[in-house]
Amino acid sequence: MLTFQNSCSVPSYFQLAGIPGLESLHLWLSIPFGSMYLVAVVGNITILAVVKVENSLHQPMYFFLCMLAVVDLVLSTSTMPKLLGIFWFGAGDIGLDACLAQMFLIHCFATVESGIFLAMALDRYVAICNPLHHTTVLTHAMVGWLGLAALFRGVLYIGPLPLMIRLRLPLYKAHVISHSYCEHMAVVTLACGDSRVNNVYGLSIGFLVLILDSMAISVSYVMIFRAVMGLATPEARLKTLGTRGSHNCAILIFYVPIVVSSLIHRFGHQVPPPVHTLLANFYLLIPPILNPIVYAVCTKQIRERILQMLKTETKFK
């Protein structure tokens, strides 16, 4: 590591602290975190396998669900193996380029996930408000283009973050990141230079993604609710609203932890640092764990296919 001005240096690597303040519990913490990661991986791979083998699920809603499963696998895998390495072996060192790559993956695919939820809201809006045109509007090609658009938006929004750090903030006053992964603000706070541009850009992206996406989804909810209230019978209304149950739960699972973590990070100055870090990990773990469970429980076709697969496996044993 090259040193300048006695206090600032050009780092070749950073050191992730894991869960600062809970170092003595790292080995014990590895048990719940490792278990949650395993559940997330198995659950999302199961969803991908079920949709692939069940022809009746080859519909836009389930294709979006597969995209969601892939994104959740990327989000959890970009952080958990490294965190478990810290817990088990104290392997906190991470190269500068690897740190920036991890930062990009985390923030990019969180943005992509929000975009997929927006696309799923569009799918449900067309299916409920214009059911006769659903198959002609939401074709397989259109679903693919919407998925690519969500990915492109994530790359477009988040791509500048690591580049701005690399080009504008080459010097750092410390190389120990008080976090379990290379979160943008955790890295920027260590920089010696003026980080206001990075802070403003990060907040602007957060506003565009979190606020605008949630507003657009809310608008679709209002329009869907108005269409449902126009149905003839209460039974038809309940059945139609029931098709949105899993989507509603998944959206809450994704947005609520992010909002809570962001509010505590910005305003919860009295909250102990370990709580900040734990919440930051949970909002990357909770959606990958709960999304497959929610869709398996709330979606009859997926639930029945999984039960059928389990029965078949039991017979072979």
Side-chain angles (χ1 to χ4, degrees), residues 129-299:
C129 297
N130 294 285
L132 297 178
H133 297 91
H134 183 244
T135 55
T136 57
V137 174
L138 269 298
T139 62
H140 290 185
M142 178 58 69
V143 170
W145 281 114
L146 289 173
L148 287 174
L151 178 61
F152 177 75
R153 188 186 70 153
V155 173
L156 181 67
Y157 282 4
I158 306 302
L161 281 182
L163 291 176
M164 291 167 66
I165 290 176
R166 189 71 155 155
L167 299 176
R168 298 190 69 259
L169 303 173
L171 301 178
Y172 292 81
K173 52 182 175 281
H175 71 283
V176 177
I177 300 175
S178 297
H179 212 292
S180 57
Y181 57 83
C182 292
E183 197 271 336
H184 176 246
M185 289 306 302
V187 175
V188 168
T189 53
L190 300 179
C192 290
D194 185 358
S195 62
R196 284 178 295 181
V197 173
N198 298 69
N199 293 336
V200 170
Y201 186 81
L203 287 173
S204 300
I205 293 302
F207 174 81
L208 284 173
V209 174
L210 189 62
I211 305 299
L212 296 187
D213 283 9
S214 59
M215 287 177 61
I217 291 171
S218 298
V219 169
S220 75
Y221 273 29
V222 171
M223 298 177 74
I224 288 171
F225 185 77
R226 288 178 58 187
V228 168
M229 290 301 101
L231 295 176
T233 65
E235 291 78 10
R237 296 170 191 168
L238 287 174
K239 182 178 179 180
T240 305
L241 287 174
T243 63
R244 291 199 53 85
S246 55
H247 185 53
N248 296 345
C249 291
I251 288 175
L252 291 175
I253 288 167
F254 177 72
Y255 284 110
V256 170
I258 291 180
V259 171
V260 171
S261 180
S262 299
L263 289 175
I264 290 178
H265 182 76
R266 298 291 176 185
F267 306 109
H269 303 297
Q270 303 302 318
V271 177
V275 176
H276 285 278
T277 310
L278 286 170
L279 284 174
N281 280 282
F282 286 151
Y283 91 69
L284 292 179
L285 263 180
I286 290 175
I289 292 170
L290 294 184
N291 282 341
I293 296 174
V294 165
Y295 279 98
V297 171
C298 296
T299 307

